[in-house]
Amino acid sequence: MEGWEMPRTLTLNPDVLNNLFTSERLNSYTAVFAPRDEFELVGAYLWNSRVCGALHPILGAAEITLRNSIDGAVSSGPLGRFWWSSSKLQWKSRGQGLIPYPVAKLRENFSKASSQVIREKKERYQIRGHIKPTHHEIISKTDFSTWEFALDGEFMGRGLLWNLYLSSVFSGDWGGRRPSVLLTHARNLVNAVRHFRNRVSHHEPVWKGAGIANPEDATRHLARKLLQVVQLIELIEPVQVQILRKNGLLGEAERACSASELRRYQLMTRERTITSRRGLALVMKQCESSNASFYVRRSVSSSCFLLTPVT
């Protein structure tokens, strides 16, 4: 079994780079990844897109799991399905004259979600007159930040949301934390995941962070961020992580964020020529154990295949 460097057979027009990169973004990629040529530069950029695509379902699962867990627990209780309404929702400092920022933002987010439902239904179905959004419609239109505001300490106290529903919403391992500490921990995780999700959604350089100076820093940063997403899901519903793992989505995200995948996109990996079943079995074993993708051929003149594990 032999290997050789991936060929650089494409001529890149300078306009291609100008269309891909602003000067500021170009500087950030060159500073961290130190590309030796335009192939490695474009490869790092395309790798970032690959990472965004692989992280999207994991981040979506985190947001939906959090949203459905909070709403499912609270709406099944005495407050009912529209539990966020001003006549029902209580908070710790209520009665002191001012509405705390998290409470105001929570109510504002639900109001915006309701307005969005009304606007979209009028546009889609050409409806005139009054529209009353359903509970499900409003919940589905809420911003991620809604659920971060809902986790504020203003809703922790006797008879309030988190004294009643914290253990129902977060069924995972609390790590021995007291309820108030667990609430703060959960909110910090949600904040970190939400900001990371925003970068991913806008296809910004998701590897960026404080102190990122080289490719190793970038991939370690992504691994830490992915771990935070998984920790949030595990805290809410551990089975959901198992589902993501069983279906290969979590392994796909871990592989996308790896140094080996970065090198593959930069055309720095070696193809493997497989001439026997034993050689194929060996490459498959390496592929599985390292959760990495390999290029393989039967001969120099044959087609190239990408061998990827489903983990």
Side-chain angles (χ1 to χ4, degrees):
M1 184 172 65
E2 299 176 351
W4 60 89
E5 294 290 338
M6 285 288 291
R8 288 162 160 77
T9 57
L10 181 68
T11 300
L12 293 180
N13 188 309
D15 289 340
V16 172
L17 297 180
N18 293 333
N19 290 334
L20 280 177
F21 298 101
T22 62
S23 58
E24 183 180 56
R25 184 154 295 185
L26 177 66
N27 291 338
S28 67
Y29 274 89
T30 54
V32 170
F33 297 102
R36 294 172 296 180
D37 55 33
E38 66 270 23
F39 291 97
E40 292 185 9
L41 175 61
V42 173
Y45 176 84
L46 294 176
W47 169 72
N48 184 76
S49 295
R50 156 85 168 113
V51 170
C52 290
L55 287 172
H56 185 75
I58 311 299
L59 289 161
E63 180 176 0
I64 292 169
T65 302
L66 176 67
R67 182 185 75 193
N68 290 350
S69 186
I70 293 177
D71 180 65
V74 181
S75 63
S76 63
L79 295 179
R81 294 177 67 77
F82 294 90
W83 51 267
W84 56 85
S85 69
S86 58
S87 61
K88 296 179 179 181
L89 190 64
Q90 302 292 320
W91 59 90
K92 187 162 49 180
S93 62
R94 186 164 186 165
Q96 296 181 11
L98 296 176
I99 299 178
Y101 179 79
V103 178
K105 294 299 293 183
L106 180 70
R107 290 163 61 173
E108 179 185 319
N109 277 11
F110 276 112
S111 178
K112 285 168 56 179
S114 180
S115 297
Q116 185 176 349
V117 172
I118 294 171
R119 183 173 61 255
E120 290 183 1
K121 292 184 82 169
K122 284 185 175 182
E123 292 175 354
R124 185 181 301 121
Y125 303 111
Q126 299 299 302
I127 298 174
R128 294 183 178 181
H130 179 70
I131 294 175
K132 185 177 181 180
T134 66
H135 166 267
H136 171 74
E137 288 171 336
I138 295 172
I139 292 296
S140 68
K141 294 298 182 184
T142 53
D143 292 337
F144 199 169
S145 63
T146 305
W147 311 103
E148 182 181 339
F149 292 127
L151 292 170
D152 192 81
E154 276 289 335
F155 301 111
M156 171 67 83
R158 185 175 180 180
L160 301 181
L161 290 184
W162 298 122
N163 280 52
L164 299 173
Y165 303 112
L166 195 64
S167 59
S168 299
V169 171
F170 299 102
S171 61
D173 183 5
W174 288 22
R177 298 179 179 89
R178 301 190 312 275
S180 60
V181 176
L182 186 280
L183 182 65
T184 300
H185 173 66
R187 192 173 191 274
N188 289 340
L189 276 178
V190 171
N191 178 269
V193 170
R194 182 174 65 83
H195 284 288
F196 186 54
R197 193 285 305 263
N198 290 345
R199 293 193 68 84
V200 169
S201 297
H202 291 94
H203 284 263
E204 297 180 41
V206 293
W207 44 265
K208 271 191 171 183
I212 305 299
N214 53 54
E216 292 74 22
D217 291 339
T219 53
R220 281 194 294 266
H221 174 74
L222 288 172
R224 287 193 297 270
K225 288 298 181 181
L226 180 56
L227 178 60
Q228 288 180 319
V229 181
V230 172
Q231 287 174 335
L232 175 60
I233 300 173
E234 280 184 326
L235 188 60
I236 303 164
E237 179 48 77
V239 173
Q240 180 74 341
V241 176
Q242 297 176 30
I243 293 172
L244 293 170
R245 177 70 70 186
K246 289 285 186 181
N247 284 277
L249 292 173
L250 190 51
E252 178 79 3
E254 291 167 343
R255 182 167 57 256
C257 294
S258 68
S260 64
E261 195 74 344
L262 169 61
R263 288 193 297 272
R264 185 171 75 82
Y265 272 79
Q266 292 183 301
L267 304 181
M268 296 169 66
T269 57
R270 299 180 69 82
E271 297 176 357
R272 289 162 168 76
T273 302
I274 298 174
T275 57
S276 66
R277 290 185 178 179
R278 183 176 179 276
L280 177 59
L282 179 61
V283 173
M284 290 175 65
K285 186 175 181 180
Q286 292 174 342
C287 186
E288 180 183 20
S289 63
S290 62
N291 188 21
S293 298
F294 297 126
Y295 290 110
V296 296
R297 294 180 187 269
R298 288 183 298 170
S299 66
V300 175
S301 60
S302 67
S303 298
C304 183
F305 297 88
L306 182 65
L307 188 63
T308 300
V310 178
T311 54

